[in-house]
Amino acid sequence: SQQGEEDPQALSIQEGENATMNCSYKTSINNLQWYRQNSGRGLVHLILIRSNEREKHSGRLRVTLDTSKKSSSLLITASRAADTASYFCATPERGSNYKLTFGKGTLLTVNP
Amino acid sequence: EAGVAQSPRYKIIEKRQSVAFWCNPISGHATLYWYQQILGQGPKLLIQFQNNGVVDDSQLPKDRFSAERLKGVDSTLKIQPAKLEDSAVYLCASSPPGRNQETQYFGPGTRLLVL
């Protein structure tokens, strides 16, 4: 079963704008990860946030985690055309840190 | 550092035929995963290996899918016989030992079309 669900399913913005994607999950987790997938390619790990962290930054990426609401958000600032991709959140299944369940993803299109 | 290698990149077969995919993980990565990604969906774990042993294959359709990692390095995933609903991208991933095991590194995938 799908643990994480991303919202929105699709997002279209102009270059330079910020993009925010959300992920909701159902059960308690130890960590939550975000991955990016360019068209027809494999997934690339972006960032991992642990359950005792509320916010984490990596370059133009900012991830938040609210364990009370079982939700996370990924913010991409000053977007570029190269950020066009699908973004997935992934959560470990109960009892495992390594068996990941992925959501259906958010398709982000950044228009030049 | 070389990434996860997969071959072939594309495969077209007819239903009831057999097909095999190959994966070579990043050197030193003990854990290897095979995922199935149907169009419009997120990846779904099929099987997880730790060295040459199976950790989890609960979502592998064992009547038609099989996988092996005999020497604890590269791995093959086989489908026999294939069905139309097996059309998907098959992704291989690996993760390093130790505290960074939570992060998975993915190969480019094999896109399978079953006609």
Side-chain angles (χ1 to χ4, degrees), chain A residues 47-50 52-58 61-66 73 75:
Chain A
I47 198 164
L48 180 152
I49 187 167
R50 301 195 181 279
N52 61 351
E53 297 175 308
R54 291 296 168 261
E55 188 171 310
K56 200 163 183 179
H57 297 256
S58 177
L61 305 181
R62 172 177 162 250
V63 168
T64 62
L65 180 63
D66 187 334
S73 68
L75 168 67

Side-chain angles (χ1 to χ4, degrees), chain A residues 92-110:
Chain A
E93 290 203 358
R94 185 187 292 274
S96 170
N97 278 339
Y98 315 121
K99 183 178 178 180
L100 296 180
T101 300
F102 289 81
K104 293 183 179 182
T106 292
L107 176 59
L108 172 66
T109 302
V110 181

